Amino acid sequence: MLPSRTIRIESFQQDLMECGHVTVPAMQALLGGPMFRRVFNIPRTPRLLRASLLVFGLCTGFSSAADEGTEEAPWLLVDTEALILQVMKGDRPKMTLHNIAIGRYGTSAEKRRGDNSTPLGRFRVAWIQRDSGFHRFIGLDYPDIERAKKGHREGVIDKRTLQTILAAHRRGKRPPQNTVLGGQIGIHGLGQGDPRLHERTNWTRGCIALTDQQVDALLSWVHIGTAVEIR
């Protein structure tokens, strides 16, 4: 009997959809209510009722979780030329932080430990330290996969180090921070740093520096896994 009831459920939901938008809770209340069971001759058994609801959900394509998932996740764009950091949703800026500081020796596609340059590329937030010497620290998953593979090809790191970096990225964990490729790259505040120096020059060892107020505002947009592009 279930197939014939399924057909009737599909027909019924199609009629409802043609009448206009119907919310998921309203649909479920209707499907589980006594009127619906009488009309479609569905006995009050939890298993069959659950099956009916499942068929209805699959047919309509409605899901509260799916609705929530349609919203674009925020990501961060760091412009090392304009010295701004923007919180983006899609291609739309939602917040812009000005007068950021980068590595004292600029940017690099070939970063090495101790070169005081900011790596260009695409990363993700790997950890967040809310109590830091720099007030707050948003750590990135540097070294990234591309640099690790290139470093191995060029003999900069050995195979074991490469495998450790790749394994960390596969698990969504922080890659090793003490390799020749460098580490501890992130976005942070000033803490006990000199605000006047921050206003005048790029001063970091490779990180992106903001004021304490700016990094506090940024934290409300950021979580583990947030995408970050430095260009």
Side-chain angles (χ1 to χ4, degrees):
M1 295 296 293
L2 185 56
S4 63
R5 288 173 182 150
T6 301
I7 294 171
R8 296 171 72 185
I9 291 171
E10 291 174 346
S11 176
F12 181 69
Q13 65 87 12
Q14 183 63 38
D15 291 341
L16 287 176
M17 291 298 296
E18 289 175 356
C19 291
H21 180 70
V22 181
T23 63
V24 172
M27 289 284 198
Q28 292 177 338
L30 180 59
L31 286 169
M35 180 186 75
F36 183 84
R37 290 198 303 272
R38 285 198 302 270
V39 171
F40 292 98
N41 191 29
I42 297 179
R44 192 170 187 171
T45 59
R47 179 177 297 177
L48 186 53
L49 183 56
R50 283 197 301 269
S52 301
L53 290 172
L54 177 60
V55 169
F56 179 80
L58 291 174
C59 290
T60 61
F62 282 144
S63 165
S64 57
D67 289 343
E68 293 172 0
T70 59
E71 185 175 354
E72 294 173 313
W75 59 282
L76 308 183
L77 174 60
V78 179
D79 187 329
T80 58
E81 292 289 335
L83 293 179
I84 61 174
L85 185 154
Q86 292 182 302
V87 177
M88 307 289 290
K89 278 198 172 183
D91 58 358
R92 302 183 307 277
K94 306 299 288 186
M95 180 174 71
T96 301
L97 302 176
H98 296 271
N99 199 36
I100 67 173
I102 62 173
R104 67 184 67 179
Y105 293 139
T107 62
S108 174
E110 305 290 338
K111 180 171 177 59
R112 297 291 184 265
R113 181 172 55 201
D115 66 4
N116 294 326
S117 68
T118 298
L120 301 174
R122 295 181 178 180
F123 311 97
R124 289 192 179 275
V125 173
W127 78 97
I128 298 174
Q129 188 176 350
R130 294 180 178 273
D131 184 11
S132 161
F134 291 107
H135 183 59
R136 315 280 188 233
F137 191 92
I138 302 169
L140 305 184
D141 61 350
Y142 179 90
D144 54 284
I145 292 174
E146 182 180 346
R147 277 188 178 83
K149 289 181 176 179
K150 189 172 189 294
H152 179 253
R153 287 194 304 269
E154 296 176 351
V156 177
I157 60 173
D158 58 25
K159 185 175 181 179
R160 182 176 181 180
T161 301
L162 170 65
Q163 291 174 339
T164 303
I165 294 172
L166 297 183
H169 279 280
R170 283 196 301 269
R171 298 194 304 269
K173 302 296 184 181
R174 183 193 318 186
Q177 298 294 291
N178 58 350
T179 75
V180 179
L181 299 174
Q184 297 296 327
I185 299 298
I187 302 167
H188 59 68
L190 297 182
Q192 299 301 313
D194 186 349
R196 292 170 298 180
L197 176 67
H198 177 75
E199 291 174 0
R200 293 195 306 267
T201 187
N202 290 319
W203 57 272
T204 79
R205 295 181 179 179
C207 291
I208 310 298
L210 313 174
T211 67
D212 291 351
Q213 293 77 15
Q214 286 175 327
V215 76
D216 283 342
L218 181 63
L219 273 179
S220 63
W221 294 92
V222 172
H223 57 82
I224 302 301
T226 296
V228 180
E229 182 177 350
I230 303 176
R231 65 188 188 195

